[in-house]
Amino acid sequence: MKISIIYYSMTGHSKKMANTISKELSVSSENIKTNPKLEDVDLLFIISGIYSDKSSPVLIEYVKGLTKRNVKKVALITSSGSGITKPIKVREILENNGIKVLKDEFLYAGGFMFFGGHPNKNDIMNATNFVKETLKSLWYNKLDRDDKI
């Protein structure tokens, strides 16, 4: 299974989260500002924040270029001031492009500049557990499908 991690970060929080997860998975993380080319990705983790109740226009433009030919599935990890705002537009674009976006998302409270102190150790631990559980679930589901063939 080919796994990739991309992120968009205005404040450094999403970058910190992406780098931590990438170390855990031994996979590099790439900033979408560098316009990473994705090919044959089975699972893409997109890590970003919500700014003024919406996803960054830079992230929106990047995901518009993704298709099911280069990415099969996406898992979203998102920070917001409230910790509950979801990247609805990102999900909508990806699904319209034929990419399966996993139902479960990891949301955590973000912070602005020095307010909030996020991501903190618990945020990172919980995000890492989300990633591991996501991979385990996809792996077992694949094994179940293969057994039925």
Side-chain angles (χ1 to χ4, degrees), residues 1-7 25 27-30 35-46 62 65-76 94 97-102 134-135 138 142:
M1 175 186 298
K2 183 176 178 184
I3 300 166
S4 292
I5 301 169
I6 60 169
Y7 67 90
L25 298 179
V27 173
S28 65
S29 60
E30 298 185 72
N35 197 27
K37 302 296 181 218
L38 302 174
E39 294 181 19
D40 300 321
V41 175
D42 296 304
L43 179 60
L44 174 64
F45 288 95
I46 298 177
Y62 181 82
L66 299 178
T67 68
K68 64 182 177 180
R69 286 190 312 273
N70 52 358
V71 176
K72 292 179 184 156
K73 292 180 183 155
V74 169
L76 300 169
L94 292 167
N97 288 354
I99 299 170
K100 178 171 176 42
V101 182
L102 301 182
T134 298
L135 292 172
L138 291 174
K142 181 181 181 338

Side-chain angles (χ1 to χ4, degrees), residues 31-94:
N31 187 335
I32 66 162
K33 292 177 188 175
T34 66
N35 197 27
K37 302 296 181 218
L38 302 174
E39 294 181 19
D40 300 321
V41 175
D42 296 304
L43 179 60
L44 174 64
F45 288 95
I46 298 177
I47 303 170
S48 74
I50 298 292
Y51 310 99
S52 300
D53 289 328
K54 51 190 163 183
S55 296
S56 162
V58 176
L59 177 61
I60 296 294
E61 283 306 308
Y62 181 82
V63 298
K64 284 180 181 178
L66 299 178
T67 68
K68 64 182 177 180
R69 286 190 312 273
N70 52 358
V71 176
K72 292 179 184 156
K73 292 180 183 155
V74 169
L76 300 169
I77 298 175
T78 309
S79 69
S80 68
S82 66
I84 59 173
T85 306
K86 296 182 178 187
I88 296 167
K89 186 71 174 172
V90 170
R91 176 180 287 276
E92 177 184 296
I93 292 167
L94 292 167

